[in-house]
Amino acid sequence: MGDQTGTGAGPASPTPPRLTVGGLVSGGRYELLESCGGVAGQAFWKARDRRLGRFVALTFVDPLPGEQPPGSASGVLDRTVALTSVYSDGLARVLDVIRGRAGGIVVTEWIPGRSLAAAAAEPDPDSAVGAVWGLSDAATRAEEAGLALGLDSPDRVRLTEDGRAVLSFPGVREGADVRADVQGLGAVLYALLTGAWPLSLPDGSDRHDPADGRPGEAPRGDDDEVLDPTVVGSGVSPESAVLAMRTLDGSSVSSAATVRSMVADRVGGPVRAARVTRPVGPDTAGGPSAAGAVEGPAAGAAYAAVPYSGTYGASYSEPDPETQKRRWQIMAGTSAAAVVVIVLVLTWLLGGFGGTSNDTPLSQQLDAIERAAQASRASQTTEPAPEDPAGTDADAEENEQDTPDIPVEVSTVTTWQPASSAGTAENSASAPNVADGDRSTSWSSDTYRAQIGDAPSAYKPGIGLMFTLDDEQEVRRVVLHSEDDDVRFEVRSASTATPTSLDETTRLGTGTVRGGEATVTIDEPEESQYLLVWITRLGTSGAEAYDAEITEVELAR
């Protein structure tokens, strides 16, 4: 707090704000619900996102005692942001990183289930080894990317409802490295086997009181070495004990990949998350429960039984007539397309395309037919009509009036994705570059190992750029500039800059980048202040490398 006599050597670092249950942070968006522990310069909390109606995990990052802001907090945030490139079931998704003058907040998905301390209070040696596979996978992927996971405290780990350990409160401190991660994996396994934590707690842990407490300190022998799990715990197999002790040693096993391999050998293969669709809302295990929430073993079944409409606790309601109409139109269009394809296939099978044998694969023949149809349509639209001297001037004047050529002013641009999407809305800071009138600046997506979209291998369904206009108006033309060919996107209107799902937007048109740009002419524009460019396919930049760079998006009415 500084020298009370006024003769101190310099200004003291400010005291981080006191965090209490029920407190509001980040402009009132997040309500603090439960302390989950912490280390020096970091505090872990369960919170409720009041805007989206869901639980989140917050890691508050502050300068260390004695540091001037932002001190080491900037490095912690930078290293944690780098972890967003690591995709693994053992690492909670980072939803947002909020930076301030003195530190910041890392917002991650809340992991329903229980804390490591709660799990260690009831050790289950039979499931302990399999529980750490995802965590070892996350550490391995971080190591491959040249990063550290920062697995230094039991407070950072939660177990899912199906018993998988997950790093839920990421915050990579200075000095974190692969060796420390390997020891952290051993410590988590030891705790699940015996109920005790075998490593020293990080500095500053005593300043935080997690609601579930912490695992007790592991007993040590006369040589001050941690006792073998077979001695401390009950029912621990020698094989599991050897795995824990070798990993905990930090020198016998030097790689997270080795730990992952050893775990897979013990349990017969990877232990992955079950791909079950669940609502993005508060969980029902651990912490304060909402009125009427189901607790205990029935909690998982409750998720499947309760309908979800976007806001937790709200009941399902029929869609409005306009939405219903659009759905019928989509179904009718899809059915018509299916009929056309079936007719073409049957015609080919019956020899209708000339009556002679043809060794060309059916897919190529259909592609040729589609290209011919597109060429025919193009020639019809570009072929000049016979000149009509009497009507030439009038037609030209009408076409000039119909051509959207009045620029639409954009107030701001941000990145957006549905609340249920994996990952985070990426590179939002550079999003305004697409509307600055300068094609030498750009916005870029992250690079993915698999194409985005609705394929099973896709990490997320799409990436959005949300344009906020100066006022409500009808946008009739969108021109997107990019050097990445085959980038596909949809133009959608929205009633707000932060819709929670695509269902809250209306599709106005689609486009595909060819030769550096794509133009979408909107035949039936809607008056709105918010316009979404929803990217559904990225360009290809290499083997297993998909991304998109957008230099400019021009709007006209």
Side-chain angles (χ1 to χ4, degrees):
M1 297 295 291
D3 190 344
Q4 297 299 318
T5 64
T7 60
S13 59
T15 302
R18 188 168 176 230
L19 305 175
T20 58
V21 174
L24 301 179
V25 298
S26 190
R29 176 167 180 175
Y30 300 108
E31 177 186 1
L32 302 181
L33 301 179
E34 180 180 285
S35 171
C36 298
V39 298
Q42 298 181 38
F44 313 145
W45 280 79
K46 176 183 181 180
R48 183 172 66 89
D49 186 336
R50 301 171 72 212
R51 181 183 301 172
L52 300 180
R54 63 180 179 181
F55 285 165
V56 294
L58 302 183
T59 300
F60 292 86
V61 181
D62 296 296
L64 294 173
E67 291 182 339
Q68 290 300 312
S72 59
S74 293
V76 172
L77 293 172
D78 291 342
R79 288 186 291 272
T80 306
V81 167
L83 281 181
T84 59
S85 64
V86 177
Y87 307 135
S88 173
D89 290 339
L91 177 62
R93 290 183 295 118
V94 176
L95 304 177
D96 196 7
V97 175
I98 305 167
R99 293 181 184 262
R101 287 176 295 179
I105 307 174
V106 179
V107 184
T108 53
E109 63 175 330
W110 177 252
I111 302 299
R114 53 183 179 166
S115 65
L116 177 61
E122 301 174 346
D124 182 7
D126 293 336
S127 63
V129 176
V132 300
W133 186 89
L135 204 56
S136 65
D137 178 65
T140 299
R141 294 177 184 271
E143 181 181 345
E144 290 171 347
L147 305 171
L149 205 58
L151 186 56
D152 57 3
S153 169
D155 298 349
R156 296 190 190 274
V157 179
R158 289 183 58 79
L159 269 74
T160 62
E161 292 171 336
D162 57 355
R164 294 174 295 102
V166 178
L167 181 67
S168 302
F169 296 95
V172 186
R173 301 194 301 166
E174 186 176 2
D177 57 19
V178 172
R179 184 175 184 276
D181 282 346
V182 171
Q183 287 185 303
L185 290 171
V188 172
L189 177 56
Y190 191 102
L192 293 174
L193 289 170
T194 67
W197 185 254
L199 297 177
S200 300
L201 292 174
D203 293 341
S205 298
D206 57 339
R207 299 182 182 181
H208 303 276
D209 297 314
D212 292 338
R214 295 187 177 98
E217 184 178 350
R220 296 176 179 270
D222 295 338
D223 56 358
D224 200 34
E225 295 293 329
V226 173
L227 293 180
D228 191 278
T230 56
V231 177
V232 179
S234 174
V236 179
S237 69
E239 294 82 2
S240 298
V242 168
L243 176 57
M245 295 302 287
R246 288 187 60 190
T247 306
L248 188 60
D249 176 75
S251 58
S252 299
V253 177
S254 60
S255 166
T258 303
V259 179
R260 184 179 66 176
S261 177
M262 293 166 64
V263 170
D265 288 342
R266 280 283 291 124
V267 299
V271 181
R272 301 186 185 276
R275 300 302 180 189
V276 178
T277 302
R278 59 185 303 126
V280 181
D283 68 305
T284 56
S289 299
V294 180
E295 299 187 12
Y303 272 107
V306 179
Y308 184 68
S309 61
T311 303
Y312 181 74
S315 60
Y316 174 80
S317 60
E318 288 294 328
D320 57 83
E322 184 62 27
T323 300
Q324 194 78 312
K325 177 182 177 182
R326 288 198 302 270
R327 290 178 179 174
W328 279 111
Q329 290 173 340
I330 291 171
M331 286 189 289
T334 303
S335 300
V339 170
V340 171
V341 171
I342 292 172
V343 170
L344 290 174
V345 172
L346 288 176
T347 306
W348 178 82
L349 290 175
L350 296 174
F353 295 140
T356 60
S357 61
N358 192 338
D359 294 333
T360 305
L362 174 60
S363 60
Q364 295 183 20
Q365 293 188 39
L366 294 179
D367 288 343
I369 295 169
E370 175 61 20
R371 287 194 295 271
Q374 291 178 354
S376 176
R377 288 193 296 268
S379 64
Q380 291 174 8
T381 56
T382 57
E383 183 177 350
E387 294 187 5
D388 182 359
T392 300
D393 294 339
D395 291 343
E397 182 177 349
E398 181 179 352
N399 290 337
E400 184 176 349
Q401 292 175 350
D402 289 343
T403 302
D405 58 0
I406 302 176
V408 173
E409 295 296 325
V410 176
S411 174
T412 185
V413 186
T414 59
T415 52
W416 175 88
Q417 67 179 29
S420 59
S421 178
T424 183
E426 53 215 52
N427 305 326
S428 197
S430 61
N433 291 343
V434 304
D436 62 358
D438 182 2
R439 295 192 196 174
S440 66
T441 63
S442 64
W443 168 87
S444 298
S445 72
D446 289 343
T447 300
Y448 295 85
R449 290 191 291 268
Q451 184 63 261
I452 62 175
D454 55 6
S457 61
Y459 180 63
K460 58 173 61 177
I463 305 169
L465 289 170
M466 181 65 74
F467 293 75
T468 300
L469 313 182
D470 285 351
D471 52 25
E472 289 191 354
Q473 49 191 303
E474 293 184 347
V475 175
R476 300 176 57 201
R477 185 180 67 195
V478 176
V479 182
L480 184 146
H481 297 274
S482 173
E483 295 303 317
D484 298 309
D485 272 0
D486 208 29
V487 170
R488 301 175 190 175
F489 63 96
E490 300 174 354
V491 178
R492 292 174 169 266
S493 64
S495 59
T496 173
T498 56
T500 59
S501 71
L502 279 180
D503 290 339
E504 297 178 17
T505 66
T506 302
R507 190 171 71 171
L508 304 176
T510 62
T512 302
V513 175
R514 291 283 187 270
E517 69 176 39
T519 300
V520 178
T521 301
I522 302 172
D523 296 328
E524 298 182 5
E526 288 191 1
E527 193 170 85
S528 175
Q529 189 176 358
Y530 306 100
L531 193 77
L532 174 66
V533 172
W534 177 242
I535 301 170
T536 57
R537 180 182 175 86
L538 299 172
T540 303
S541 58
E544 295 187 353
Y546 303 90
D547 55 22
E549 180 180 9
I550 311 300
T551 55
E552 199 72 19
V553 177
E554 300 168 349
L555 311 180
R557 58 184 173 87

